[in-house]
Amino acid sequence: MARQLDFYFDCSSPWTYLAFHAVQPLAAELGAEIAWKPILVGGVFNAVNQTVYDNRAKPNPRKQSYMLKDLADWARLYGLDIVFPPKVFPVNSVKCMRGAFVALDEGKLVPYATAAFEAYWADDRDLAREDVLAEIAAKAGLERQHFFAGIETDSCKARLRASTDELIARGGFGSPTIFVGDDMFFGNDRMPLVKSALEAT
């Protein structure tokens, strides 16, 4: 049986931007399959992690300063550009994450998510804008009319809710969350632990 990890993600998270780029070479190295699980992280926060909003409203200045350094350090390590905070933060990522299911069905999840992450975190563009989403879809090779029709379907909306609820039911509280079997790991910096768990399977 092939090794597998479940990767729950929302493109609106900077740490997920980093983890998305780190998890792929890790999985390739170990011959593991990635089950991509698009979610709406705001739905997770609303259900089980509302302290995120308090921390945003009244950030600890020392932690905030260190977080900026930490993001820059990780981005440099991975060879990525990152803008934090972007002009629109937090961003409404609902349609973007519905679009991930359209891309998933077309076998184009990775190029789609790559384009979405880069648009928001490297190019500082608003993921809620139709023109930005159109460019992301085009970069992933998705036909525009099919893409925009897809993200408005009841099926696509239900799949995003179901994936978000699934993460909550498994004990998750944010993005990125990775599972190896029932073993949960949260955050970009848990990759060494993810690797160890995969090697043990």
Side-chain angles (χ1 to χ4, degrees):
M1 185 175 179
R3 291 168 169 166
Q4 179 177 306
L5 61 87
D6 299 334
F7 189 88
Y8 292 86
F9 73 102
D10 186 322
C11 292
S12 68
S13 158
W15 302 108
T16 309
Y17 168 50
L18 298 169
F20 175 79
H21 286 278
V23 75
Q24 293 178 73
L26 178 90
E29 175 190 345
L30 298 178
E33 295 179 1
I34 302 174
W36 299 107
K37 304 277 192 173
I39 62 163
L40 190 63
V41 76
V44 178
F45 292 159
N46 290 340
V48 295
N49 193 11
Q50 293 189 17
T51 56
V52 167
Y53 302 125
D54 297 332
N55 292 334
R56 283 180 184 168
K58 295 181 180 179
N60 179 300
R62 293 183 180 226
K63 287 184 177 181
Q64 183 77 2
S65 177
Y66 181 76
M67 185 191 72
L68 295 175
K69 174 192 180 304
D70 203 24
L71 281 171
D73 287 346
W74 281 107
R76 185 168 56 253
L77 180 67
Y78 294 157
L80 299 172
D81 294 324
I82 191 166
V83 176
F84 191 88
K87 288 191 290 287
V88 178
F89 183 78
V91 71
N92 183 340
S93 63
V94 174
K95 290 185 177 182
C96 178
M97 297 316 298
R98 286 184 201 156
F101 285 102
V102 177
L104 192 62
D105 290 347
E106 295 283 322
K108 297 175 179 177
L109 185 283
V110 170
Y112 175 82
T114 299
F117 278 121
E118 289 178 354
Y120 189 47
W121 293 110
D123 300 333
D124 198 8
R125 305 190 68 196
D126 183 355
L127 291 182
R129 289 176 57 100
E130 183 173 313
D131 59 329
V132 175
L133 287 175
E135 288 184 25
I136 291 167
K139 285 183 178 180
L142 297 168
E143 194 275 323
R144 179 183 178 127
Q145 186 174 352
H146 171 71
F147 173 78
F148 281 106
I151 65 176
E152 296 301 334
T153 62
D154 289 341
S155 172
C156 202
K157 294 174 183 178
R159 288 169 74 186
L160 183 58
R161 285 194 298 270
S163 186
T164 302
D165 290 343
E166 179 181 283
L167 174 61
I168 294 168
R170 295 183 76 176
F173 51 86
S175 174
T177 302
I178 301 168
F179 282 87
V180 178
D182 293 326
D183 207 358
M184 185 176 85
F185 305 91
F186 174 71
N188 165 68
D189 56 349
R190 298 307 194 271
M191 291 302 160
L193 297 179
V194 172
K195 181 178 180 180
S196 178
L198 283 170
E199 288 173 335
T201 61

